[in-house]
Amino acid sequence: MNGQPVNGMDNGRVYWSNWSGLTDIASLVQIQRGLGSSKLAISSVGGTINFVTKSTDMKEGGFVRTTVGNDMLMKGTVGYSTGMMKNGFAVSAMFTHWSGDGYVNGTQGQGQNYFLSVGYKASDKHNFNLMVTGAPQWHNQGFTSTLDNYLKNGRRYNSNVETVNGTEVNYRKITTINR
C-alpha cells in the first residue's frame, strides 16, 4: 500500500478481506506481473498490486455508493476527500458496511471498512501521509469437500455447517477485529 508491503512476513499471504475497502478510496491501483516465461500472468511469481491512497494525490469530492449482489450481498460506502488545500494539507475519509449470505451454505458474513488519511505536501520532493485503516468483520468459512458429498448434497454444500437445536451453526466462524 503506497509502496509498502502488507503481506504476512511468515508466509507471504495477503488476507484480502482485511483490505476490501481500499479499491473504494484508492486514487490508483497498480498491478505488475511477476517473473515468468509466459506473457500470461498464470506462470508469474512475485507480482505486486499497489494501492495508492495518498490524500494529497486525490481530487476534492465525495461519493455515496450502494451495491447489491446475489446471495443477499449488500454494501454501502460513503467517502470524501478535501483535495489539496492551499496550506498543503489534504484529508480523505471513507466508511463501508457490508453483509451477505455467501454462495455456499453457511458462509454468511458482515463487516465494516474504515479509512482516514491526512497528508501534507511540504514541497515537490517531500510528501507526508498518515493513514489509519481497519476492517472489523466476521465470516463463516466453507472448505472443499469430497465429490461424493457434492453429488449427494449439491454444489452449495458446506461440511462445516450443522443444525443444533434448530439453529444453523458453522464451526469455522472467523472474527477479525483488526489486523
Side-chain angles (χ1 to χ4, degrees):
M1 183 178 331
N2 298 324
Q4 300 298 315
V6 295
N7 54 315
M9 291 188 302
D10 57 337
N11 58 18
R13 293 181 184 158
V14 176
Y15 298 96
W16 288 108
S17 60
N18 294 341
W19 304 100
S20 64
L22 286 182
T23 56
D24 294 330
I25 197 70
S27 60
L28 178 68
V29 178
Q30 300 169 325
I31 301 173
Q32 182 176 2
R33 184 175 87 82
L35 300 172
S37 59
S38 172
K39 292 186 180 195
L40 303 173
I42 55 174
S43 64
S44 297
V45 175
T48 61
I49 299 173
N50 185 25
F51 293 91
V52 179
T53 60
K54 296 177 186 168
S55 56
T56 54
D57 292 346
M58 296 186 190
K59 295 180 180 175
E60 180 181 5
F63 64 91
V64 175
R65 183 180 304 134
T66 302
T67 306
V68 179
N70 62 312
D71 302 307
M72 298 300 293
L73 174 65
M74 292 184 229
K75 180 180 173 184
T77 306
V78 60
Y80 181 76
S81 181
T82 63
M84 182 70 76
M85 296 183 283
K86 291 179 182 179
N87 61 5
F89 281 93
V91 178
S92 298
M94 182 216 51
F95 180 79
T96 298
H97 175 80
W98 66 270
S99 64
D101 287 344
Y103 178 76
V104 175
N105 293 336
T107 56
Q108 306 86 341
Q110 175 178 300
Q112 295 80 34
N113 301 97
Y114 57 86
F115 174 89
L116 177 65
S117 176
V118 178
Y120 177 66
K121 189 168 185 176
S123 69
D124 287 339
K125 293 185 178 184
H126 297 92
N127 190 345
F128 301 96
N129 194 61
L130 172 67
M131 182 187 70
V132 176
T133 186
Q137 61 189 290
W138 67 267
H139 51 91
N140 293 329
Q141 299 288 303
F143 290 99
T144 304
S145 187
T146 64
L147 180 59
D148 188 48
N149 278 334
Y150 290 120
L151 291 173
K152 287 182 198 172
N153 301 302
R155 65 181 173 196
R156 293 185 181 220
Y157 174 73
N158 186 351
S159 59
N160 298 316
V161 177
E162 280 187 27
T163 302
V164 178
N165 297 328
T167 303
E168 186 178 88
V169 176
N170 186 317
Y171 295 108
R172 296 276 190 167
K173 183 175 184 176
I174 305 289
T175 302
T176 305
I177 303 301
N178 263 338
R179 283 201 182 200

